[in-house]
Structures are given as C-alpha cells and as structure tokens.
Amino acid sequence: MADINIQRKKNTPSPWLFLLVVLAVVGLGAYFLFRAEVNAPPTLPPTPPPPARRAVDSLSGAETGPRPAEDALNDMAAETAPVTAGVLAAFAATEATRPDYGREGLRLLTSALVSLTDRDDLRTPFIGTRRDDLTSATSRLEEPAASLRPGCVAAAALVQAIQQQGYPELQTAARQLSAQAAGLSGRATTATEQQALRTYFQQAAELLRAFESPSVAQ
C-alpha cells in the first residue's frame, strides 16, 4: 500500500490586515503633516515700502522735490478760479510772440465773459445766444489749425450785447472792440498780427473792468 504524503496548507495573510496597515501609515503621515502646519509660524503680509521722502535742500532746509498731489490741487484751483479783468490785462502785457499767446488770451477772455453772463442782470435771451455763439466758436480752439478770428469776433459780439444791456457809456469802446476783431487775420505769426491781438485783449480787459460794476439795468 502506497504512502500518501500529506502537506499542511500554508496560511495566507489576510488582505484586510494589509489594508489596515496601509491605512495606519497614511493616517500617521496625515497626522504629522497637520501638526507641522499648525506649529508653523504665521506668514505676515509684506511690509509696504515707506513713502518717498521729498528732497530737502541741504543749505536752506527747503523742500526741492516734486509734490504731485499739491501741484494737482494748484492746477485744479487755477482751472476753476474765475478770470477777472486784471487777470486778462496781466496776460495781455506778456510776450505776444509766444506760440500759444492768442489761444491762451482767447481762452481767458471766453472764461471771463461766460462767468459774467451768470449775473442776474445779464441773464437775457439775447446775451445767452451770444454766449452760446462764443462757446461754439471756441470749442475747437485747441486744434493746431484752428483760427482765432471766429472766437475773437464772437467774444466782441458778446461784449457788445452786455454793453447794450446796461452800459450805454461804453458804446464806443464796444464798437471799437468789434472793429478790432473784424480786422484780425486769425493768426499770430507776424509782428503785426501779434500786436493786433495784444491791442484786442487789452481793449477787452478794459471793458471787462467796467463790466465788474453793476449795470444800470440792475
């Protein structure tokens, strides 16, 4: 009779045990990672650089650097400040050979006249029409090829309308300004044209100074 070789079956490790070991390793890794993040020092936001210091003159102690905020406020104040007869007269006395002399003078004159028409005694339909004509004539004044003559003629017409409203004693001066405007070439390239513009602005400033007093119609 043959002998039967009986071998004992080997015990195979359970897959559940292997899974538990893997989960335990992952859990320990997550635990230590969490503790490292908790114990890490907080990250502070970057400190903004200090504001730039304006340069100071070493001898006088005066500030010599730019002050952009203050300069912007000054420019804004200059734009919103009303133009008076004195402002226009002072400008008219400056160098008429400047390339922007005619445009700047006409801009100042327009600003002064438009502000003047806001007075109660000068709020009439006729004056309002002449004011609108002036703003329309000077709307493209900044264009390089723009002529100065339409704006000067419109400004003289508004001056004459204001004179007729309540300044009868200025009739001759207002007519002279209209004649000066009609004689302008619209350019400021020659010495003759520059002098004509200066005379026009000076005459307009004299009339504006007279308009600063109340009219007889008030």
Side-chain angles (χ1 to χ4, degrees), residues 139-174:
S139 60
R140 298 183 177 180
L141 193 60
E142 299 303 323
E143 296 181 0
S147 174
L148 301 174
R149 189 175 183 276
C152 292
V153 171
L158 178 54
V159 167
Q160 197 164 16
I162 295 174
Q163 176 270 313
Q164 293 172 357
Q165 174 63 19
Y167 300 89
E169 72 281 3
L170 300 176
Q171 181 178 9
T172 301

Side-chain angles (χ1 to χ4, degrees), residues 66-89:
R67 308 180 67 178
E70 185 172 340
D71 292 344
L73 291 176
N74 291 337
D75 293 342
M76 187 181 299
E79 289 293 331
T80 57
V83 179
T84 62
V87 172
L88 181 60

Side-chain angles (χ1 to χ4, degrees), residues 71-159:
D71 292 344
L73 291 176
N74 291 337
D75 293 342
M76 187 181 299
E79 289 293 331
T80 57
V83 179
T84 62
V87 172
L88 181 60
F91 173 81
T94 61
E95 188 59 50
T97 58
R98 291 168 40 191
D100 61 339
Y101 179 83
R103 286 186 175 85
E104 182 65 14
L106 185 53
R107 186 189 68 81
L108 293 174
L109 177 57
T110 300
S111 178
L113 288 173
V114 170
S115 299
L116 194 62
T117 57
D118 288 335
R119 273 181 15 193
D120 293 337
D121 58 321
L122 299 178
R123 291 181 180 177
T124 67
F126 182 63
I127 291 179
T129 300
R130 291 290 178 263
R131 178 197 60 204
D132 295 342
D133 292 342
L134 174 58
T135 56
S136 177
T138 57
S139 60
R140 298 183 177 180
L141 193 60
E142 299 303 323
E143 296 181 0
S147 174
L148 301 174
R149 189 175 183 276
C152 292
V153 171
L158 178 54
V159 167

